[in-house]
Amino acid sequence: MNLVSIPLPALFGQLTLGLVNGCFYALLSLGLAVIFGMLHIVNFAHGAMYTMGAFVAWLALHAFGIGYWPSLLLAPIVVVAFGVVIERLLLRHLYQLDHLYSLLFTFGLALAVEGLFRHQFGVSGLPYSIPTELEGTFDLGFMRLPRYRVWVVVVSIAVCFATWFGIERTRLGSRLRAATENAALTSAFGINVPILVMSTFAFGIGLAAFAGVLAAPLVQVNPLMGSNLIIVVFAVVVIGGMGSILGSIFTGLGLGVLEGMAKVVYPEASATVVFVVMVVVLLIRPSGLFGKES
Amino acid sequence: MNRRLILVASVFGLLLVLPHVAYPVLLMKLMCFGLFACAFNLLLGYTGLLSFGHAAFFGLSAYVTGHAIKVWGFTPELGVLAGTVTGLMLGVVVGAVAIRRQGIYFAMITLALAQMVYFLCLQLPFTGGEDGLQEVPRGRLLGMIDLTSDVAMYYFVLAMSVAAVWLIHRIIDSPFGQIVKAIRDNEARAQSLGYDVNRFKLLVFVLSAAISGLAGALKVLVFQFATLSDVHWHASGEVVLMTLLGGLGTELGPIAGAAVVVLLQNGLADKVGSLVTVIMGVIFMTCVLMFRKGIAGSLAGLVKRHPPA
């Protein structure tokens, strides 16, 4: 395949789509990393929370006439409320056990949540239209850039960096990092660690739900949108390592762009390119690009 | 010892009579998934490695066996052998990559690699894509025994399953199995005793993958088709559930777990339709929260508390 023979607009179109996908990878892997750092669990239900965010937005619009903008806040709140109830009632009891049990628990949760949506809405996608303010395209001369994609990229990157700032540069963040490092010692300083744990979990799945609302107008809202994504995000997390916040952001964005490139250059490989990168990284640098081996 | 002999003999007697009283295809399905779960348990229950991608071995082997028999005209026994070797070779590749990380990462890597196999199966021409591979003939075993009869097929599957379960039993009981269990219980200690931990892990992984491949190969003979659902991550999750429900690290528990899951799915599919996934998910969560010993582990606990007079 000759790169020169590819029309430029198609190339840039796929690149922006890749960047958009990369934003979702970044938002989801960031949430996974934050939760993993604090609770030491890998949240398999992260994809289901993303799906749930999209469905809440869809339901809000079609049942209550609540539009896109309020949903950006409302859907994460609903999903977080659901997640926190699960965490407090059930998941909490698994923290002392082998991490594998919490992975299995959240896997079961993901199955149950997706199954419910599938039962209720079927597998065909439900359309969710782009808010009127973001319809249309920017004409850049060499290509037309849909406004909605620009919005998704800008807001995702802003949220990612706000998260990085919050964790690495604020007082609350330093408490969070302290609790991650040594929970017992941190609570000895009078910091309420269980609340921190719960809010971290809430924040992580809130990010997933937020990503779900962002994705709703781009993809058809369907029960499997989360599980298809989460497996790729797992690979992203393995590539980037879960130790570093900036690491997960850059890895997510980079792999999204790479996938977009693959769609242009060699479409057959676009579904597997992330996994291939994962294998290569594991062979060369097993602890991930930004990871520290514990 | 005598009682044990009587028990084993009566179980075998039952297994031999069973196809004449129950529906053989269902029994074969139970055996295929029971074997799959046993193979998985060898890895999770005895080595402590959680693979979230075992459907890759099961499913790809099913495709290869089906293709070898249908297109290349392999006899059933050679087809099953081809499937097992496929599982084994894929196990070497996946295992070599995945054992570079531990715990949670191991699970995520196997899941990702299995997803890669899924996409390959979706795109490669020989798998029939979304339609799957259909109308695989059962053929004649060793050129003599006609397997189109469900009862003959049953005895073939039974013989293969019993042999494989016995092999797993021997692996667990062997000195090799003891070392593997030592790695599960304390990897650092096993390493400090001078065992090459990664080599043992890889070997168990490959054995487990090969036996999963055997289970997939038998499955394609029984049902005469292979589909994408065999390689899908749902199937990987199901085998985890079967093993967990039956009892991690118990020799026959996974068979019981597989039986419960398969019978539930069969019984519920026409009653509740797509709610089956929800029920599976709820069982999964319940098992993890309250029933971590599984069926066999709980039974063993009961027997210990109330020893037979």
Side-chain angles (χ1 to χ4, degrees):
Chain A
M1 174 65 81
N2 186 358
L3 257 177
V4 184
S5 68
I6 299 164
L8 221 51
L11 177 68
F12 283 105
Q14 286 300 345
L15 280 185
T16 51
L17 257 186
L19 196 59
V20 167
N21 274 333
C23 288
F24 295 131
Y25 296 158
L27 282 172
L28 266 82
S29 63
L30 184 60
L32 273 183
V34 170
I35 293 176
F36 182 78
M38 194 74 186
L39 286 77
H40 299 289
I41 67 168
V42 170
N43 182 20
F44 208 113
H46 217 66
M49 300 294 110
Y50 163 88
T51 310
M52 199 188 253
F55 268 101
V56 170
W58 187 86
L59 275 173
L61 183 66
H62 290 85
F64 305 103
I66 300 171
Y68 175 83
W69 300 105
S71 280
L72 271 183
L73 199 62
L74 177 79
I77 291 174
V78 173
V79 174
V80 162
F82 171 82
V84 165
V85 170
I86 297 275
E87 195 266 341
R88 282 291 93 185
L89 289 181
L90 306 171
L91 189 56
R92 179 167 69 92
H93 302 290
L94 298 171
Y95 293 160
Q96 315 88 314
L97 299 169
D98 195 317
H99 302 341
L100 297 179
Y101 283 111
S102 46
L103 177 70
L104 294 177
F105 175 85
T106 51
F107 176 77
L109 180 63
L111 276 187
V113 169
E114 281 181 5
L116 273 179
F117 283 127
R118 195 155 74 183
H119 181 69
Q120 207 60 39
F121 301 99
V123 281
S124 58
L126 309 166
Y128 188 97
S129 48
I130 293 176
T132 43
E133 295 88 340
L134 296 173
E135 275 172 2
T137 55
F138 293 114
D139 198 345
L140 299 183
F142 58 94
M143 70 174 293
R144 303 183 74 82
L145 194 58
R147 283 166 197 256
Y148 190 77
R149 288 186 199 169
V150 179
W151 153 252
V152 169
V153 171
V154 169
V155 75
S156 305
I157 292 177
V159 167
C160 283
F161 280 96
T163 308
W164 169 80
F165 186 84
I167 291 175
E168 299 288 340
R169 293 285 183 272
T170 65
R171 208 174 166 76
L172 179 67
S174 66
R175 288 179 179 180
L176 210 79
R177 279 179 287 130
T180 307
E181 200 77 25
N182 190 332
L185 198 60
T186 312
S187 61
F189 279 107
I191 292 167
N192 191 337
V193 173
I195 291 280
L196 270 185
V197 167
M198 197 184 78
S199 355
T200 308
F201 184 72
F203 179 75
I205 58 177
L207 281 182
F210 180 75
V213 185
L214 284 182
L218 287 171
V219 296
Q220 304 265 312
V221 177
N222 72 82
L224 301 177
M225 59 191 275
S227 52
N228 292 336
L229 188 63
I230 196 66
I231 299 178
V232 181
V233 171
F234 278 164
V236 171
V237 160
V238 172
I239 295 167
M242 284 199 277
S244 149
I245 300 225
L246 282 180
S248 4
I249 299 173
F250 286 125
T251 315
L253 291 174
L255 287 169
V257 172
L258 186 69
E259 218 177 41
M261 296 265 279
K263 277 199 185 107
V264 185
V265 182
Y266 188 60
E268 289 81 5
S270 64
T272 45
V273 64
V274 174
F275 303 126
V276 174
V277 173
M278 181 189 80
V279 172
V280 173
V281 168
L282 280 170
L283 292 178
I284 297 169
R285 214 184 125 82
S287 54
L289 294 178
F290 302 91
K292 310 164 265 214
E293 191 67 73
S294 55
Chain B
M1 210 52 229
N2 240 343
R3 279 175 58 171
R4 195 189 156 125
L5 205 68
I6 294 168
L7 187 73
V8 171
S10 44
V11 167
F12 265 104
L14 190 69
L15 284 173
L16 289 177
V17 181
L18 218 48
H20 301 284
V21 287
Y23 181 45
V25 174
L26 177 64
L27 295 173
M28 288 188 275
K29 186 176 181 187
L30 291 180
M31 288 193 286
C32 291
F33 282 98
L35 181 59
F36 185 24
C38 282
F40 181 77
N41 184 42
L42 178 62
L43 192 64
L44 178 59
Y46 290 98
T47 325
L49 295 175
L50 173 60
S51 157
F52 241 109
H54 252 49
F57 311 119
F58 184 80
L60 189 69
S61 297
Y63 275 123
V64 170
T65 300
H67 185 78
I69 291 175
K70 189 180 171 183
V71 180
W72 298 336
F74 275 37
T75 52
E77 68 282 356
L78 283 179
V80 168
L81 183 67
T84 313
V85 171
T86 305
L88 186 138
M89 292 194 306
L90 187 62
V92 171
V93 176
V94 172
V97 174
I99 58 167
R100 298 177 73 87
R101 298 298 297 271
Q102 289 161 338
I104 289 288
Y105 283 99
F106 183 87
M108 292 196 286
I109 293 165
T110 45
L111 176 66
L113 291 174
Q115 189 73 353
M116 199 162 140
V117 173
Y118 174 83
F119 281 120
L120 288 179
C121 288
L122 184 65
Q123 288 171 347
L124 287 176
F126 86 95
T127 60
E130 303 268 359
D131 300 331
L133 193 65
Q134 287 164 3
E135 287 165 29
V136 177
R138 280 185 185 168
R140 299 171 91 78
L141 185 63
L142 301 168
M144 294 180 294
I145 305 157
D146 188 3
L147 290 180
T148 43
S149 135
D150 278 344
V151 175
M153 186 68 214
Y154 172 89
Y155 287 122
F156 176 53
V157 175
L158 179 67
M160 296 305 287
S161 302
V162 168
V165 170
W166 182 76
L167 174 71
I168 294 176
H169 167 76
R170 290 310 305 255
I171 293 171
I172 293 165
D173 261 4
S174 68
F176 171 77
Q178 299 302 324
I179 297 164
V180 162
K181 279 182 260 181
I183 293 172
R184 172 192 67 187
D185 295 336
N186 192 331
E187 187 170 333
R189 185 179 297 164
Q191 193 153 29
S192 73
L193 287 173
Y195 293 112
D196 185 348
V197 168
N198 276 349
R199 246 186 58 203
F200 282 93
K201 280 188 187 172
L202 181 61
L203 191 50
V204 182
F205 193 90
V206 170
L207 284 168
S208 172
I211 298 170
S212 302
L214 171 65
L218 290 175
K219 191 235 141 196
V220 79
L221 270 185
V222 172
F223 289 98
Q224 301 180 278
F225 60 79
T227 63
L228 281 174
S229 63
D230 295 334
V231 259
H232 194 257
W233 60 269
H234 268 189
S236 298
E238 255 161 36
V239 77
V240 183
L241 178 59
M242 289 167 183
T243 311
L244 191 66
L245 188 62
L248 281 184
T250 60
E251 281 191 24
L252 298 176
I255 298 177
V260 172
V261 171
V262 169
L263 290 175
L264 261 181
Q265 282 175 336
N266 270 27
L268 290 174
D270 41 342
K271 290 195 191 72
V272 296
S274 55
L275 278 180
V276 173
T277 327
V278 183
I279 294 170
M280 290 297 138
V282 171
I283 296 176
F284 223 118
M285 289 188 278
T286 317
C287 269
V288 174
L289 285 170
M290 311 194 294
F291 197 61
R292 284 187 289 272
K293 284 186 186 154
I295 297 167
S298 304
L299 281 181
L302 271 181
V303 173
K304 220 176 256 174
R305 237 177 296 152
H306 309 284

